[in-house]
Amino acid sequence: MKLAPLHDRFGVEVLDVDVRQVRAGPLFGRIRAAFEEHSLLLFRNQDLDDAAHLRFGALFGPVEDRSMGANGPDPRMDNVTNRLADGTVAAPDSLHTLNLTGNQLWHTDSTFLPVPALANLLAARVLPSEGGETELVSTRVAWADMPRDLKARTQGAIFRHRLAHSRARISGELAARPEMNRWGDQLWRSLWRNPVNGTDSLYIASHACGVEGMEPDAGLALIDELIDFATRPAMVYSHVWQPGDLLVWDERATLHRGRSWPYEQERTLASICISAGARDGLASVTPWAGPVPPPRAGRSRAHGFPDPRR
């Protein structure tokens, strides 16, 4: 396994690995260590069916289920696609397509869920003739680079997250749909500490709809200011999809967005999210889990990723 940089501040391409052959063991330990360190992994020339995609994802943790059990006990794909169940491509002005354009806001997946995501595994299936890139930034880099005054206003903040909030920026009708209001508001601290290397990352998303203890307009202004800072153009990695690409990114330490494409053409990306747990530092971002401990000196050499609070 070899690594090649994607951006000078974060992200690597992982070379000489067929993820279909990866099982729990030393090789996955090296992949997981690269994930912790670089936040974004690219695997090219992969030939993944749903079963192989789900099997590789499950090495990172439990596969997220947004159906709330309605789809049964077995994990399923949650593909990002404009192809409908009847095989047709959704009309460009349909609510289905409008919901996909909501992914063009800078966001972190699943901040609106009771259990947030650790990772997204996204693979190319059907690509349009142009456009449809996926862009990412490192919120670990953003926090490290942030001016002191902005850090002071952010340290200790608790953000309120709601899916309907981001969708309301696209369409009021879309935001009012029941599936956009399935979950109550979620509260998460502004920083997520990586328990392996002790680094902090700004934890924010377009789903963030307010800051606890701040007036609504002031809270939204702070959220916008933070996202604008994190997504400075020089900090963006723009991924131009190729057949066989698989991206794996750390939801704790990145923001991402999709880009537009000719909507009359199909764009299908196979997707699963992995739910975060105690060993992933979830307590550090959970408001009711107690104060965030000070950073640990040096880097952990443990590969079991234990919860540092145990």
Side-chain angles (χ1 to χ4, degrees):
M1 179 179 123
K2 299 178 182 177
L3 304 178
L6 295 174
H7 186 279
D8 61 2
R9 301 294 299 276
F10 76 108
V12 291
E13 180 179 354
V14 181
L15 304 169
D16 304 326
V17 170
D18 179 350
V19 302
R20 296 175 302 177
Q21 307 304 318
V22 177
R23 300 292 186 271
L27 177 56
F28 180 71
R30 293 169 65 192
I31 292 171
R32 178 67 192 244
F35 170 84
E36 299 286 351
E37 181 67 21
H38 300 287
S39 305
L40 170 64
L41 308 179
L42 166 63
F43 301 84
R44 291 200 187 273
N45 303 312
Q46 304 297 313
D47 184 15
L48 290 178
D49 59 14
D50 286 0
H53 194 142
L54 287 163
R55 184 170 56 248
F56 182 58
L59 294 173
F60 289 87
V63 177
E64 183 180 277
D65 176 23
R66 294 190 186 181
S67 79
M68 302 174 72
N71 290 334
D74 295 329
R76 296 192 181 192
M77 306 298 296
D78 187 23
N79 292 348
V80 181
T81 181
N82 60 340
R83 180 166 291 279
L84 303 175
D86 63 6
T88 63
V89 172
D93 60 351
S94 68
L95 287 180
H96 184 95
T97 302
L98 284 175
N99 186 40
L100 292 176
T101 65
N103 292 331
Q104 295 174 29
L105 301 171
W106 286 107
H107 67 286
T108 300
D109 296 311
S110 309
T111 66
F112 50 84
L113 295 181
V115 179
L118 164 69
N120 190 323
L121 288 81
L122 194 63
R125 290 284 179 88
V126 179
L127 300 175
S129 61
E130 59 181 328
E133 301 87 356
T134 296
E135 296 185 337
L136 299 103
V137 297
S138 168
T139 57
R140 182 186 299 172
V141 168
W143 182 249
D145 291 353
M146 193 173 293
R148 288 184 180 179
D149 65 326
L150 186 53
K151 270 191 173 182
R153 288 185 283 134
T154 306
Q155 185 94 42
I158 295 174
F159 296 132
R160 181 176 294 274
H161 295 256
R162 182 188 313 138
L163 177 58
H165 173 74
S166 62
R167 293 314 183 253
R169 299 176 63 177
I170 305 299
S171 161
E173 182 181 3
L174 177 65
R177 291 178 66 87
E179 61 267 31
M180 305 302 167
N181 297 277
R182 185 178 298 170
W183 304 279
D185 289 1
Q186 306 299 327
L187 298 176
W188 304 113
R189 295 186 188 220
S190 57
L191 298 179
W192 195 316
R193 177 158 297 154
N194 184 305
V196 175
N197 55 38
T199 57
D200 287 331
S201 298
L202 177 66
Y203 191 61
I204 201 168
S206 61
H207 313 306
C209 58
V211 181
E212 294 298 282
M214 293 185 68
E215 293 294 325
D217 288 347
L220 291 174
L222 176 60
I223 290 165
D224 287 345
E225 185 177 2
L226 290 167
I227 292 177
D228 286 347
F229 180 82
T231 60
R232 292 161 292 159
M235 297 296 104
V236 176
Y237 167 71
S238 182
H239 185 70
V240 180
W241 288 96
Q242 299 178 19
D245 283 356
L246 169 67
L247 285 180
V248 181
W249 64 76
D250 188 341
E251 301 277 17
R252 305 167 299 177
T254 59
L255 284 165
H256 67 279
R257 67 176 180 180
R259 305 305 289 150
S260 63
W261 72 95
Y263 295 123
E264 69 277 5
Q265 298 179 23
E266 180 180 354
R267 178 180 182 265
T268 295
L269 302 176
S271 175
I272 54 173
C273 284
I274 306 303
S275 295
R279 72 172 190 168
D280 307 310
L282 182 57
S284 72
V285 80
T286 305
W288 51 89
V292 178
R296 292 180 296 147
R299 296 185 181 278
S300 170
R301 291 182 292 175
H303 295 290
F305 310 106
D307 184 345
R309 294 171 182 265
R310 288 180 180 171

